[in-house]
Amino acid sequence: MTTSKVGLGGGCHWCTEGVFASLNGIVKINQGWISSTGTNTQFSEAIEVYFEPNVISLVDLISIHLHTHACTAVHSMRNKYRSAIYTYSVEQAEKSNDILRELQSDFDEKVITKVLPFQDFKANKVALTDYLYSAPSRPFCQRYIHPKLQLLMQRFNKHVNYEKLVTAGIDVTSN
């Protein structure tokens, strides 16, 4: 099994983790904060996603990422919720930039998501990781993460790990 890794940030790391943990081909997720270089050295909520590229491609991951957070919104919380794809090589950065350009046509407004080099990662407290799957009926999960899961099932259904959702007691019938 070949795996790759990419960092993703944009919204709450609980939401981002819940979305990507619900996909086929995801091997592992580290949830916490990522920093980059230059003007982006401040840590921002994000996840590291380890994935099997023969099951889910970088194109699909970036598309899902853009469609499940406010990738076109400039708001006052962008330091905490930096909209970014954190890359681990020059090749991955170039490919990610190409993918962003291609996916811009999916949106009416300009995508503000940046491709940034990964610098450092700080893990969240273990008690706050796997937030969705440790208690999917929490009000936060119901209000913020479940609608993103519905979008996944509607738009990206071939990538959804339905078995994991059902096992966790998450409704998959309303898609």
Side-chain angles (χ1 to χ4, degrees):
M1 165 177 67
T2 302
T3 61
S4 293
K5 174 171 68 167
V6 68
L8 301 169
C12 165
H13 49 207
W14 291 343
C15 292
T16 310
E17 177 190 49
V19 164
F20 287 89
S22 302
L23 300 174
N24 292 314
I26 304 303
V27 176
K28 175 179 148 182
I29 296 176
N30 293 329
Q31 184 236 90
W33 294 268
I34 294 179
S35 69
S36 184
T37 58
T39 60
N40 298 295
T41 57
Q42 179 180 349
F43 281 93
S44 183
E45 290 193 24
I47 61 171
E48 289 182 305
V49 180
Y50 294 76
F51 64 100
E52 297 174 85
N54 61 329
V55 177
I56 189 163
S57 69
L58 184 61
V59 172
D60 291 323
L61 290 173
I62 292 174
S63 183
I64 290 166
H65 181 52
L66 295 179
H67 285 281
T68 56
H69 83 281
C71 70
T72 61
V74 177
H75 54 74
S76 63
M77 295 296 289
R78 274 293 172 217
N79 285 335
K80 183 178 180 182
Y81 304 121
R82 183 183 303 126
S83 184
I85 301 161
Y86 298 95
T87 58
Y88 296 85
S89 70
V90 171
E91 295 79 23
Q92 189 181 49
E94 289 171 355
K95 186 172 183 180
S96 296
N97 275 309
D98 290 344
I99 293 167
L100 274 180
R101 278 190 292 280
E102 291 171 22
L103 292 174
Q104 176 59 60
S105 64
D106 285 0
F107 301 90
D108 293 331
E109 296 177 36
K110 181 173 175 22
V111 171
I112 64 161
T113 306
K114 304 286 186 217
V115 175
L116 301 170
F118 173 86
Q119 177 70 25
D120 199 8
F121 177 80
K122 288 193 312 190
N124 204 351
K125 297 175 188 171
V126 173
L128 298 175
T129 60
D130 199 27
Y131 195 80
L132 170 66
Y133 284 98
S134 64
S137 61
R138 285 183 178 119
F140 181 91
C141 296
Q142 296 285 328
R143 181 169 183 174
Y144 297 106
I145 304 174
H146 286 231
K148 294 173 189 281
L149 299 177
Q150 291 301 316
L151 183 141
L152 274 183
M153 290 184 279
Q154 291 166 3
R155 187 174 181 121
F156 302 100
N157 67 343
K158 73 179 186 177
H159 297 297
V160 175
N161 186 334
Y162 285 96
E163 183 179 332
K164 186 172 184 179
L165 293 172
V166 169
T167 300
I170 297 170
D171 180 19
V172 298
T173 61
S174 57
N175 62 358

